[in-house]
Amino acid sequence: MIDDIYSAKVLALAANLPHLGRLEAPDGSAEKSSRLCGSRVTVDVGLDASGRIDRFAQEVKACALGQASAAILGAGVIGASQEDLELATGAFRSMLKADGPAPAGRFSDLAMLAPVKDYPARHASTLLAFEAALEAVRRGRARTSPAGAA
């Protein structure tokens, strides 16, 4: 039943998005949108010398599921590396699309979005924040690495 995906926990997360807004002079930025529903997430990141996220901001114009996912991202993203985001995004995608296990570690709260797997039309908007964050980090690393500066 669709009410399963809009639990009280999901709605509470959607109402309390951390790190809203945009960063001044981010190292990397990315915007992702869902063609199906029009949800859109823009992410800015600042990276420390080791490439980990030390500053983060997001603009989220999405459904409650996209907002809940963005809230989970925002709660755990500071200190995350590109590899952390790759693993979490891959596990999250697998959880939704292939009935895989929920991501572990800093983004383990994504488990509460497991019921979304039964609603394929909601997958894209639910994944947007993580996809945008990963792309922003990739762009930031390319821009700040010695090879990217050449």
Side-chain angles (χ1 to χ4, degrees):
M1 184 169 185
I2 201 157
D3 291 339
D4 295 340
I5 64 174
Y6 295 106
S7 69
K9 287 181 183 179
V10 167
L11 295 175
L13 282 171
N16 295 297
L17 285 158
H19 304 287
L20 284 176
R22 300 293 306 266
L23 291 181
E24 189 172 315
D27 293 319
S29 297
E31 179 178 290
K32 295 287 183 176
S33 60
S34 168
R35 287 179 276 170
L36 184 63
C37 68
S39 292
R40 186 177 67 236
V41 175
T42 304
V43 167
D44 295 328
V45 296
L47 304 174
D48 66 16
S50 66
R52 291 186 174 275
I53 297 170
D54 64 0
R55 295 178 300 130
F56 177 83
Q58 58 185 344
E59 284 188 341
V60 181
K61 295 179 177 28
C63 65
L65 298 170
Q67 290 177 24
S69 174
I72 293 166
L73 173 69
V77 75
I78 300 298
S81 66
Q82 179 176 330
E83 181 182 13
D84 294 334
L85 288 174
E86 287 169 346
L87 291 171
T89 303
F92 190 21
R93 186 176 291 109
S94 176
M95 180 185 82
L96 294 177
K97 298 183 179 289
D99 206 21
R106 68 174 68 229
F107 302 115
S108 62
D109 283 348
L110 289 170
M112 74 179 67
L113 295 171
V116 177
K117 72 180 184 244
D118 296 330
Y119 302 91
R122 306 278 199 274
H123 292 180
S125 63
T126 308
L127 287 163
L128 285 178
F130 278 82
E131 291 172 343
L134 181 54
E135 182 65 24
V137 169
R138 286 178 178 150
R139 289 179 180 177
R141 290 191 63 176
R143 186 175 157 263
T144 60
S145 72

